[in-house]
Amino acid sequence: MTTFLREVAASVATQRVFSAVTVLVVAGSAVAILLTSGRSAAAEAAVLSTIDAQGTRTIAIQAKSEHPDFTSAIVDKIARIPEVEAVVGFGPVRDATAAAVPDGVKAGLRSAYGRLNGQSLWQPARSEVGAQVWASRASSETLGLPPGAGSIRVVEGPEYQVTTELDVPDFLAVYEPLMLIPADRAAAEQPIALSSIVVLARDSGSVALLTDLIQPLMADLPPDTVTVRTSEEMAALRAAVGGELTRQGRTILLGVVAAATAATLANVTGFALLRRKDLGRRRALGATRSMIVSLVIGQVSFTAVLAAGAGAVAALGWLALEGSPLPSSSYVGAVATALPLTATVAAALPAAVAARRDPIRELRVP
């Protein structure tokens, strides 16, 4: 193997024109793909991220008035639907201030039931401070409290201790500044009255289906009791934008790869014709056909790998200087892998043809 690699390296160094053309083809293709399709992929990711920030996977169920059947039991039923990633029920919002500043800035305090960030919303089994509050950093800053600590007081109500800093997921960001009183596990044996439920679908395409599945779960409620707001329009926009950008990027990518493959095929064919005498001499001296094929393919592969890496670095540097969004590492890695592979495959046919020629006839070539 060491001898073969040394031979390949020597061939690359001696066949400078062939190596230079391979470098130009592969590196140019990498630059072209990343500056066009790669730029589109990065722009698509940025656009979809912006759309996702608007909550394309959320369904908000809001009670217009209190109703004894709008309870935590609905949350439990919704949580069993496979298309649901997360569901949280909230009780009525109450104004609260820092306990030390009763006339200070107010923030909303809600009771909560369900699972958040993979964690059940329960009060600790044993607590020396009574019901505990989970407060986001934004709510703590609003009230002038240290993160995950301090005391709050409900306006004309009881005082609570903040014990946990709440990491608010994106789909609940609209409720910021957010403070929650997790449900009491013992009291949860009976349904807990709620004022709203927020559902997060596993993907934006499931929003419409999930809405249809949720509606029958509230059949016991009068039609005018709740309102259901979905992000279906944003989900449709996401699908349309993503589909269009993906189509454009795929067309560019396939076009450039096809052109690179054709150029590599022509380059290797020309190399095999120009080096007929040298290849025939190797065959006459005992080189097998597989050795000739391996040597040609190895030279192309070695050069293509270096060229693809250099082209990717150059393209990323150009995008960075422009201030454009950069494609993901997986996209760059796929391009840097696909181009050498296609170049190697393109080199196989002319290499095989060259290896099958009669060495005696090739040696007669002037």
Side-chain angles (χ1 to χ4, degrees):
M1 178 60 72
T2 303
T3 303
F4 174 73
L5 293 177
R6 190 183 300 115
E7 185 71 18
V8 168
S11 297
V12 171
T14 55
Q15 307 299 327
R16 296 178 182 176
V17 175
F18 173 67
S19 300
V21 173
T22 303
V23 167
L24 289 175
V25 169
V26 177
S29 298
V31 171
I33 290 173
L34 291 176
L35 291 184
T36 54
S37 179
R39 192 198 303 267
S40 297
E44 175 183 347
V47 170
L48 295 183
S49 176
T50 301
I51 294 176
D52 286 340
Q54 304 302 317
T56 60
R57 298 190 292 146
T58 57
I59 301 173
I61 307 169
Q62 182 69 46
K64 296 181 180 179
S65 59
E66 293 185 11
H67 194 280
D69 291 328
F70 192 71
T71 66
S72 56
I74 297 177
V75 173
D76 292 333
K77 294 177 182 177
I78 294 175
R80 299 189 189 103
I81 301 176
E83 287 76 11
V84 172
E85 180 174 321
V87 55
V88 182
F90 294 128
V93 62
R94 296 178 289 170
D95 287 334
T97 65
V101 191
D103 295 328
V105 179
K106 298 179 178 65
L109 176 66
R110 298 171 172 85
S111 59
Y113 178 85
R115 290 180 64 84
L116 196 59
N117 299 326
Q119 182 179 3
S120 296
L121 295 170
W122 295 119
Q123 288 288 338
R126 297 179 181 178
S127 176
E128 298 179 356
V129 296
Q132 300 180 11
V133 171
W134 297 6
S136 68
R137 181 174 292 270
S139 63
S140 295
E141 292 175 353
T142 299
L143 299 181
L145 300 175
S151 298
I152 63 170
R153 181 182 295 277
V154 175
V155 175
E156 298 182 356
E159 182 174 327
Y160 297 98
Q161 187 73 29
V162 177
T163 60
T164 303
E165 182 176 353
L166 178 62
D167 183 15
V168 180
D170 291 341
F171 77 101
L172 294 181
V174 294
Y175 291 90
E176 285 275 47
L178 184 62
M179 294 190 296
L180 302 178
I181 302 179
D184 187 336
R185 189 187 297 268
E189 294 179 0
Q190 298 296 324
I192 301 171
L194 301 175
S195 63
S196 62
I197 299 173
V198 182
V199 183
L200 179 67
R202 291 195 180 277
D203 59 78
S204 56
S206 301
V207 172
L209 172 62
L210 189 53
T211 303
D212 293 338
L213 294 175
I214 289 175
Q215 295 284 5
L217 302 181
M218 300 183 293
D220 295 336
L221 297 172
D224 59 347
T225 302
V226 298
T227 58
V228 179
R229 293 185 295 106
T230 72
S231 52
E232 188 174 353
E233 291 183 359
M234 293 297 292
L237 174 62
R238 187 189 197 283
V241 171
E244 181 62 26
L245 293 177
T246 300
R247 251 189 321 273
Q248 293 176 356
R250 187 183 297 116
T251 301
I252 295 172
L253 177 62
L254 293 177
V256 174
V257 170
T261 302
T264 301
L265 180 63
N267 184 37
V268 178
T269 301
F271 167 77
L273 290 174
L274 292 174
R275 305 301 300 176
R276 290 170 63 183
K277 189 171 183 178
D278 178 59
L279 296 177
R281 185 184 299 111
R282 289 177 181 271
R283 290 277 288 119
L285 293 175
T288 62
R289 290 174 176 174
S290 60
M291 175 61 73
I292 297 299
V293 172
S294 299
L295 186 62
V296 175
I297 290 179
Q299 185 174 350
V300 172
S301 300
F302 181 82
T303 308
V305 168
L306 297 180
V313 171
L316 292 177
W318 183 275
L319 290 174
L321 288 175
E322 284 186 338
S324 301
L326 300 179
S328 65
S329 57
S330 60
Y331 186 94
V332 176
V335 171
T337 302
L339 287 174
L341 284 177
T342 55
T344 300
V345 171
L349 179 60
V353 172
R356 295 183 65 84
R357 289 197 177 102
D358 183 1
I360 302 302
R361 293 183 59 186
E362 296 303 298
L363 287 174
R364 293 174 182 168
V365 175

